[in-house]
Amino acid sequence: MTLSSDNPTRNGTILVVDDEPDILVALEDLFENDYRVLSTTSPLKALDIIEHEPDIAIIISDQRMPEMPGDEFLARARHRSDAEAILLTGYADLKAVIGAVNKGRIMAYVPKPWDPAALSSMVASAYERRLLARELETERALLRGLMESTGDQISFKDLEGRFVRLNTSKARSLDLPPEACVGRKESELASPEQAQSAEEAERKAVIARQPSERTEERYGPDGTSQWFLVNHIPILNEAGSVTNVATIERDITERKVMELRLRQADKMQALGTLAGGVAHDFNNLLMAVLGSLDLASRRAPDDPRLTRLLQNATYAAERGASLTQRLLSFSRQRDLRLQTVDVNQVICGMNDLLTRTLGGVIRIERDLAEHLWMAMVDPDQLELAILNLCINARDAMAENGVLTLSTRNETVEEGRVTDLGRGDYVVISVADTGAGMPPEILSRVLEPFFTTKEVGKGTGLGLSMVYGLAQQSGGTVAITSTVGVGTTVELYLSRAAVDRSRADQEETSDLAPMAKVRILLVDDDAEVRSVTAAYLGEMGHRVVEAADGASALDILKTDSQLDLLIADFAMPGMTGLDLADRARKLQPGLGILLVTGYADPERVPGTYPVLHKPFNRSELGAKVTEAIRRTESADLG
């Protein structure tokens, strides 16, 4: 075996194999100036050289050799190297040449004696072919690595829409291996809708000769939505003509869901603000209606028919008041009595209520967790929320349906549940075996006044009230539903501190009657002011009225005999809170009571007692007594 200089030249390495040493010398002399030449007289030794020299570019082999004929040697060399092969033969052995072409995949054969110029040209061509093959293989490897290392679905099609190449991710979406998709159209493998959409987008990209991008919504076998960002890229040749179309499909479902949830949260916030404003106006109207009915009923003659009519009107107005309370719960504008609550105990205490309300057409099952954590929630509102969820579940089921009411402890990691921070939560689950809801209905069920029930069968505020309660209690509501299977609503409530007693609980002790006092009553609504003044007058208090904050301040500057200021929270020009602060500066010992139809609890300081509209005579009397006592306690302190 003969090796030329180890210094590599610009044109790579050639292996020459011939059993005649003189021919080896001649070939070395011919190529050593341009190539690194390895030579041997033994085909077996040549195979060893190939094992240790992976960068051999060209193999030149004689055909007739004692150890092994050239066609057989080249066939064995092909299993170890992708070098270009040239066969030398001194005889016109057509059979050997055919064998070398088929088994050894030679690019040419050269008869002996050879023409040096022709052989040099042939070797140069072989080397160029080798370089091109290596570059192509590198590009293929890079493309293959890129296509298979990404989760995106990547495919290439010809202008007839047939797959030329695609990655495993794309093939998996068609439930086939990649090789089974090549040569076939997407219309043969995908749903008609998806195939038609793809063909239309590809056609537009080819006509425009520009990449296109769009977002597509697709539905999985279970009916769940998936969102994809799809890019169609026309592939142009050197002449500028489109030869193929590349498609990249990226699953953006998670991003899209977050966008939809953010949009839903913004919409819910806007609806909550609207609900608060509507409730404010309703409460003012209901205050005037209920107060007037109450005053009329106590002053009307003893006429059973008139009494019944007044009672009917009162009941209707009270239903309106209940409706506004639900609106305020949704809009987060109602004070909740958050306290430590045993949720299991609340549910068990509702057995009779649920049985009477839901009737006997469905079966109620309970799966209440042992050692359930205590929750921070308003127990009255929680009971109402559970009742609403159970009624919705009943209405969604036919006879013999099953309603499952369950509880559990859950520690939530950050970002796992929408609108919920990291922490410990008590979860109440209400599951039904009803018809379920499609995605377009499920996305709207928390909106106030949205309902799928018949007119007169529901207000559409049940779920929104539950959502409002959850939000105010530091939790949230999660709803899952499958058409034909059923719906599950999960109410997340913040876990109460172990050593925390009932928080923000109102004192329940009755306040003793107080002496009659002089009161400045300020409300921009004349009807509400009239009813409130009548109530106070019946209690024996003396009342001075004002329609706005500026008028009230003028009275406060000249009248030092006032004991209590009762002011509406929301008034134009000057709010009741601003008026209270300025009144305290004018008369530090003045009692303060704020009245509101919807005020955000965060805007009302705890130093002032608050009375919510609509209120009755006894509620007003109790708050007046509380406000006077607070002032007396402060003076004594």
Side-chain angles (χ1 to χ4, degrees):
M1 180 178 69
T2 304
L3 299 179
S4 68
S5 170
D6 288 338
N7 293 325
T9 61
R10 61 182 179 86
N11 283 342
T13 303
I14 295 177
L15 173 62
V16 180
V17 186
D18 197 302
D19 60 320
E20 297 183 24
D22 293 342
I23 292 179
L24 287 181
V25 171
L27 290 172
E28 290 172 359
D29 289 341
L30 181 62
F31 295 116
E32 64 183 358
N33 291 331
D34 297 315
Y35 304 92
R36 173 174 175 251
V37 181
L38 308 178
S39 61
T40 179
T41 57
S42 167
L44 294 177
K45 291 182 179 179
L47 292 175
D48 290 336
I49 293 173
I50 293 171
E51 288 286 351
H52 296 90
E53 293 282 348
D55 292 330
I56 294 174
I58 302 169
I59 300 174
I60 302 175
S61 173
D62 186 24
Q63 169 59 22
R64 289 195 174 184
M65 294 181 290
E67 291 182 348
M68 186 185 307
D71 58 332
E72 182 179 345
F73 159 68
L74 292 175
R76 293 175 66 177
R78 180 59 58 196
H79 294 295
R80 310 182 189 191
S81 173
D82 59 355
E84 297 292 328
I86 298 175
L87 182 68
L88 294 178
T89 177
Y91 304 92
D93 190 344
L94 183 59
K95 182 179 178 181
V97 171
I98 293 173
V101 170
N102 292 333
K103 298 178 181 179
R105 296 201 295 277
I106 65 171
M107 64 160 290
Y109 78 97
V110 178
K112 295 178 181 179
W114 59 80
D115 179 353
L119 182 57
S120 295
S121 176
M122 187 178 295
V123 169
S125 296
Y127 187 71
E128 289 297 325
R129 177 173 166 174
R130 160 74 174 183
L131 291 181
L132 290 174
R134 277 292 179 91
E135 290 177 3
L136 180 59
E137 182 58 33
T138 299
E139 290 184 1
R140 284 178 176 173
L142 292 173
L143 178 61
R144 188 183 307 114
L146 175 64
M147 292 178 66
E148 297 303 332
S149 65
T150 179
D152 296 348
Q153 300 176 17
I154 302 176
S155 60
F156 295 88
K157 296 179 183 177
D158 60 22
L159 296 184
E160 298 298 322
R162 292 183 291 263
F163 285 111
V164 176
R165 188 159 192 171
L166 68 166
N167 67 353
T168 303
S169 181
K170 175 62 177 178
R172 190 183 299 116
S173 73
L174 302 172
D175 296 324
L176 288 171
E179 57 272 13
C181 301
V182 174
R184 302 172 69 178
K185 295 185 177 181
E186 195 152 358
S187 58
E188 304 174 36
L189 308 173
S191 66
E193 296 81 7
Q194 182 177 336
Q196 182 179 358
S197 175
E199 289 173 0
E200 181 181 350
E202 291 162 5
R203 184 170 57 254
K204 290 181 178 179
V206 170
I207 294 173
R209 293 170 49 179
Q210 293 289 336
S212 66
E213 178 180 287
R214 65 178 185 173
T215 301
E216 294 182 5
E217 182 180 12
R218 302 172 187 171
Y219 294 98
D222 58 352
T224 57
S225 293
Q226 285 184 296
W227 295 87
F228 287 85
L229 182 65
V230 183
N231 287 274
H232 295 286
I233 306 166
I235 307 299
L236 281 63
N237 60 16
E238 293 181 357
S241 300
V242 179
T243 60
N244 298 89
V245 177
T247 302
I248 303 174
E249 303 165 73
R250 174 166 297 173
D251 189 339
I252 59 169
T253 302
E254 184 175 352
R255 187 181 81 187
K256 192 69 176 180
V257 168
M258 293 304 295
E259 289 176 357
L260 292 174
R261 286 174 175 172
L262 180 60
R263 193 177 303 128
Q264 179 72 1
D266 290 341
K267 182 167 64 173
M268 295 297 286
Q269 183 177 3
L271 287 171
T273 302
L274 173 63
V278 170
H280 168 256
D281 292 338
F282 265 65
N283 277 333
N284 275 339
L285 293 172
L286 290 168
M287 182 66 241
V289 171
L290 283 169
S292 298
L293 288 171
D294 181 35
L295 292 169
S297 64
R298 286 187 283 110
R299 298 176 184 179
D302 189 11
D303 182 344
R305 186 170 180 273
L306 179 59
T307 301
R308 186 169 64 255
L309 291 174
L310 290 172
Q311 286 177 343
N312 288 342
T314 300
Y315 292 153
E318 287 175 345
R319 287 179 61 192
S322 175
L323 185 63
T324 59
Q325 290 305 315
R326 291 189 184 186
L327 274 172
L328 292 174
S329 292
F330 164 76
S331 64
R332 311 183 194 183
Q333 302 289 349
R334 180 180 179 274
D335 273 317
L336 293 181
R337 295 187 302 112
L338 295 180
Q339 58 192 60
T340 304
V341 172
D342 184 337
V343 173
N344 282 349
Q345 185 176 356
V346 170
I347 294 174
C348 291
M350 295 178 64
N351 285 343
D352 292 341
L353 175 62
L354 292 177
T355 302
R356 289 195 308 271
T357 304
L358 303 181
V361 294
I362 63 170
R363 187 170 78 253
I364 303 174
E365 295 184 353
R366 294 172 179 79
D367 182 16
L368 307 182
E370 296 182 4
H371 310 297
L372 189 69
W373 296 328
M374 303 295 281
M376 284 301 297
V377 68
D378 183 323
D380 295 333
Q381 290 298 308
L382 175 62
E383 186 172 302
L384 180 60
I386 294 172
L387 180 61
N388 272 314
L389 293 179
C390 291
I391 291 174
N392 284 345
R394 178 203 63 186
D395 293 345
M397 294 185 287
E399 292 185 8
N400 301 320
V402 179
L403 185 154
T404 303
L405 191 57
S406 60
T407 59
R408 70 177 187 273
N409 299 325
E410 184 169 334
T411 299
V412 176
E413 296 298 326
E414 189 71 35
R416 193 179 67 79
V417 179
T418 305
D419 298 334
L420 204 62
R422 179 178 181 179
D424 293 336
Y425 296 89
V426 177
V427 184
I428 304 170
S429 173
V430 178
D432 65 58
T433 57
M437 293 179 284
E440 61 270 18
I441 298 296
L442 186 61
S443 65
R444 299 188 60 194
V445 292
L446 294 179
E447 296 179 12
F449 302 113
F450 177 78
T451 179
T452 58
K453 298 178 182 179
E454 299 175 12
V455 175
K457 294 295 184 63
T459 62
L461 285 172
L463 279 174
S464 61
M465 184 279 291
V466 174
Y467 179 76
L469 168 67
Q471 290 283 301
Q472 291 182 81
S473 304
T476 192
V477 173
I479 306 177
T480 56
S481 187
T482 303
V483 175
V485 177
T487 300
T488 299
V489 181
E490 293 183 321
L491 174 59
Y492 285 78
L493 302 172
S494 291
R495 178 186 182 182
V498 175
D499 58 347
R500 187 173 178 180
S501 60
R502 295 179 172 242
D504 302 324
Q505 186 176 10
E506 295 178 358
E507 295 183 3
T508 58
S509 59
D510 294 331
L511 295 173
M514 295 294 295
K516 310 312 176 187
V517 295
R518 197 158 184 268
I519 300 172
L520 173 58
L521 174 62
V522 188
D523 199 309
D524 63 306
D525 191 306
E527 288 79 8
V528 174
R529 191 171 69 248
S530 176
V531 169
T532 307
Y535 276 157
L536 294 170
E538 286 187 349
M539 298 176 198
H541 302 298
R542 290 170 296 163
V543 181
V544 179
E545 297 184 35
D548 54 54
S551 301
L553 285 177
D554 290 339
I555 295 172
L556 285 165
K557 291 175 182 177
T558 59
D559 191 341
S560 60
Q561 302 302 312
L562 295 169
D563 300 297
L564 176 66
L565 169 66
I566 300 178
D568 185 33
F569 186 89
M571 294 187 296
M574 184 186 304
T575 68
L577 180 58
D578 293 336
L579 174 60
D581 291 339
R582 296 174 71 172
R584 275 284 171 87
K585 293 179 180 178
L586 292 172
Q587 298 188 24
L590 184 67
I592 303 292
L593 173 59
L594 296 179
V595 181
T596 178
Y598 84 112
D600 187 344
E602 294 181 359
R603 297 176 57 195
V604 181
T607 53
Y608 301 138
V610 178
L611 177 61
H612 292 276
K613 301 175 186 176
F615 50 82
N616 56 36
R617 182 175 180 274
S618 61
E619 290 171 339
L620 175 60
K623 283 294 182 179
V624 168
T625 302
E626 179 186 345
I628 295 297
R629 286 198 166 182
R630 280 199 187 189
T631 305
E632 291 177 349
S633 299
D635 292 340
L636 291 174

